[in-house]
């Protein structure tokens, strides 16, 4: 009989449970986006750390989120009704938080005179940019959500279908050549799921061999090397490959799983998407207020770190509340429609 731990892991991979350590990864990715933006907007000099971690940018974090999305979206729908519910859930998960964030941001920006627009213009932008999940002027970091949603639809529809792997590989190549790299990277996550499930069943002995450990170390080094280039579409594709390799390594490392399952990491990962959406708006408001009240009494360097810390804490609090609200709305909609 399989051990309870192994059974639990298989259930998690099949979608019957929740991988706590994946939440740990999502927290680290969200924090990478946050700190990358803070460093750029506040001109923080990272010194030698900037060279050591060159390549680990906000775009790398998006690549990581893309791979994770594709990996867990690859789950066979039981029926057309189940497929419809999954699509609706994903749409609500994306659109509702975005609608709340853009709406609140526009109101706060108007009250603080950070941005001036007529009510009609602001309302049109809020509704259009939220429901169409396109470029968003109030939440610029949401640029990737449309690609995430399109990729989710593709993976949902093809999951469980015959020849799906061949189709995903062909789509990956076509989308990459067409410049739709982020959708392609999401598909990379779906392909990784297929690879992991098949190798996990056929070659379990490899996990305990010295050669397998050396392979994982080599892949870690390789995944770091291929991202150390200026940002462009090819680099973003390499980011996705690197993120997929690191996720595969985590899937096959009990040590990394335990580290990533630390409570503070897993808790933060559960609100990573909402944190991703709110942090820039929170930063803009926090900086405006801090500059207004503290710029004359606190040194610049100290003020910078006060803004960073305040932005992080406020973003985490708002993300938690937004996450609870989104889950409640999602549950209400599904229960009334089915």
């Amino acid at each position: 009989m399989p051990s309870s731990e192994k059974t639990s892991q298989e259930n998690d991979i099949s979608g019957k449970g929740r991988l706590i350590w994946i939440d740990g990864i999502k927290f680290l990715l969200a924090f990478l986006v946050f700190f990358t933006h803070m460093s750029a907007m506040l001109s923080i000099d990272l010194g030698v750390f900037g060279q050591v971690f060159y390549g680990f940018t906000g775009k790398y974090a998006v690549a990581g989120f893309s791979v994770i999305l594709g990996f867990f979206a690859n789950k066979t729908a039981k029926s057309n009704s189940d497929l419809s519910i999954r699509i609706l859930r994903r749409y609500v998960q994306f659109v509702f938080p975005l609608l709340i964030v853009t709406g609140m941001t526009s109101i706060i920006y108007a009250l603080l005179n950070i941005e001036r627009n007529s009510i009609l213009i602001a309302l049109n932008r809020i509704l259009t940019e939220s429901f169409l999940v396109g470029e968003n002027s109030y939440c610029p970091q949401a640029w990737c959500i449309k690609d995430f949603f399109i990729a989710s639809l593709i993976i949902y529809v093809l999951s469980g279908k015959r020849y799906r792997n061949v189709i995903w590989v062909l789509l990956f190549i076509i989308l990459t050549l067409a410049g739709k790299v982020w959708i392609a990277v999401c598909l990379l996550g779906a392909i990784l799921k297929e690879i992991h499930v098949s190798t996990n069943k056929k070659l379990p002995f490899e996990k305990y061999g010295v050669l397998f450990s050396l392979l994982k170390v080599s892949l870690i080094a390789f995944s770091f090397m291929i991202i150390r280039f200026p940002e462009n579409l090819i680099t973003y594709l390499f980011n996705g490959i690197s993120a997929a390799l690191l996720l595969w390594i985590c899937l096959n490392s009990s040590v990394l799983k335990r580290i990533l399952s630390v409570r503070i990491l897993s808790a933060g990962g559960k609100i990573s998407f909402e944190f991703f959406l709110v942090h820039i708006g929170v930063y803009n408001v926090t900086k405006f207020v801090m500059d207004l009240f503290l710029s004359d009494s606190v040194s610049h360097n100290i003020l910078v770190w006060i803004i960073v810390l305040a932005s992080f804490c406020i973003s985490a609090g708002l993300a938690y509340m937004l996450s609870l609200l989104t889950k409640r709305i999602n549950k209400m909609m599904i229960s009334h429609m089915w």
Side-chain angles (χ1 to χ4, degrees):
M1 282 185 66
S3 67
S4 59
E5 181 181 359
K6 182 177 180 181
T7 302
S8 175
Q9 290 176 358
E10 290 174 349
N11 286 341
D12 287 338
I13 293 298
S14 65
K16 298 177 183 178
R18 186 183 185 100
L19 290 174
I20 297 176
W21 60 270
I22 283 289
D23 287 325
I25 293 178
K26 288 163 65 177
F27 171 81
L28 294 177
L29 293 175
F31 183 79
L32 178 58
V33 173
F34 172 81
F35 195 73
T36 299
H37 287 157
M38 294 299 106
S39 299
M41 292 184 290
L42 291 169
S43 301
I44 298 175
D45 183 8
L46 299 177
V48 67
F49 292 102
Q51 295 299 318
V52 173
F53 294 102
Y54 180 73
F56 287 97
T57 64
K59 291 295 195 301
Y60 185 89
V62 173
F65 282 126
S66 300
V67 171
I68 291 173
L69 179 148
F71 187 93
F72 287 98
N74 183 6
K75 185 177 67 171
T76 305
K78 298 177 182 178
S79 63
N80 289 334
S81 176
D82 181 46
L83 177 61
S84 300
I85 292 175
R86 292 179 67 193
I87 292 173
L88 179 60
R89 282 185 183 275
R90 180 50 55 92
Y91 183 73
V92 173
Q93 287 169 355
F94 284 150
V95 171
F96 182 74
L98 189 57
L99 181 63
I100 296 297
V101 170
T102 53
M104 293 302 298
T105 301
S106 66
I107 293 172
I108 294 172
Y109 281 8
L111 293 174
L112 297 179
N113 287 321
I114 295 177
E115 186 175 282
R116 297 181 181 179
N117 284 313
S118 69
I119 295 177
L120 289 179
I121 292 177
L123 183 61
N124 179 65
R125 282 168 55 182
I126 292 168
L127 296 177
T128 302
E129 294 174 355
S130 297
F131 285 104
L132 297 181
V133 291
E135 294 292 333
N136 196 300
S137 53
Y138 288 119
C139 188
Q141 65 273 32
W143 59 268
C144 56
I145 292 182
K146 178 177 283 187
D147 288 343
F148 282 3
F149 184 63
I150 293 172
S152 298
L153 293 180
I154 294 173
I155 297 170
Y156 285 162
V157 171
L158 293 176
S159 292
K161 298 295 190 297
R162 194 177 184 184
Y163 305 121
R164 61 187 178 280
N165 293 327
V166 175
I167 297 173
W168 279 331
V169 170
L170 290 175
L171 284 175
F172 175 82
I173 296 171
I174 293 170
L175 289 166
T176 300
L177 294 175
K180 301 297 183 181
V181 172
W182 298 108
I183 303 177
V185 172
C186 291
L187 297 183
L188 198 60
I191 296 170
L192 175 65
K193 172 73 169 289
E194 299 288 341
I195 294 172
H196 174 70
V197 170
S198 61
T199 57
N200 195 43
K201 291 179 180 178
K202 295 178 181 178
L203 303 172
F205 64 89
E206 289 189 2
K207 295 181 181 180
Y208 307 101
V210 175
L211 290 179
F212 193 61
S213 297
L214 290 175
L215 172 63
K216 288 186 284 187
V217 172
S218 300
L219 289 177
I220 291 174
F222 177 74
S223 66
F224 286 178
M225 289 168 50
I226 63 175
I227 65 174
R228 297 180 66 85
F229 298 98
E231 289 193 10
N232 55 54
L233 289 179
I234 298 300
T235 305
Y236 300 152
L237 181 62
F238 287 164
N239 285 344
I241 295 172
S242 171
L245 290 174
L246 291 180
L247 179 57
W248 182 82
I249 291 166
C250 289
L251 284 162
N252 292 280
S253 173
S254 57
V255 174
L256 289 177
K257 287 177 182 177
R258 284 196 296 270
I259 294 173
L260 292 167
S261 297
V262 172
R263 183 171 296 180
I264 189 171
L265 296 181
S266 61
K270 291 179 175 65
I271 58 171
S272 57
F273 177 63
E274 292 80 8
F275 184 90
F276 174 79
L277 290 181
V278 304
H279 76 279
I280 287 185
V282 169
Y283 160 79
N284 288 330
V285 175
T286 301
K287 187 176 186 305
F288 178 87
V289 174
M290 294 295 179
D291 285 343
L292 188 63
F293 292 102
L294 298 179
S295 59
D296 295 331
S297 57
V298 177
S299 69
H300 174 73
N301 290 337
I302 294 177
L303 182 60
V304 164
W305 290 106
I306 290 176
I307 292 172
V308 171
L309 182 59
S311 297
F312 180 83
C313 293
I314 296 171
S315 295
L318 291 177
Y320 177 72
M321 291 187 288
L322 183 58
S323 175
L324 292 179
L325 187 58
T326 301
K327 290 175 182 176
R328 178 165 296 185
I329 294 297
N330 206 322
K331 186 176 181 180
M332 289 174 56
M333 288 185 62
I334 297 302
S335 63
H336 280 83
M337 296 184 69
W338 275 269

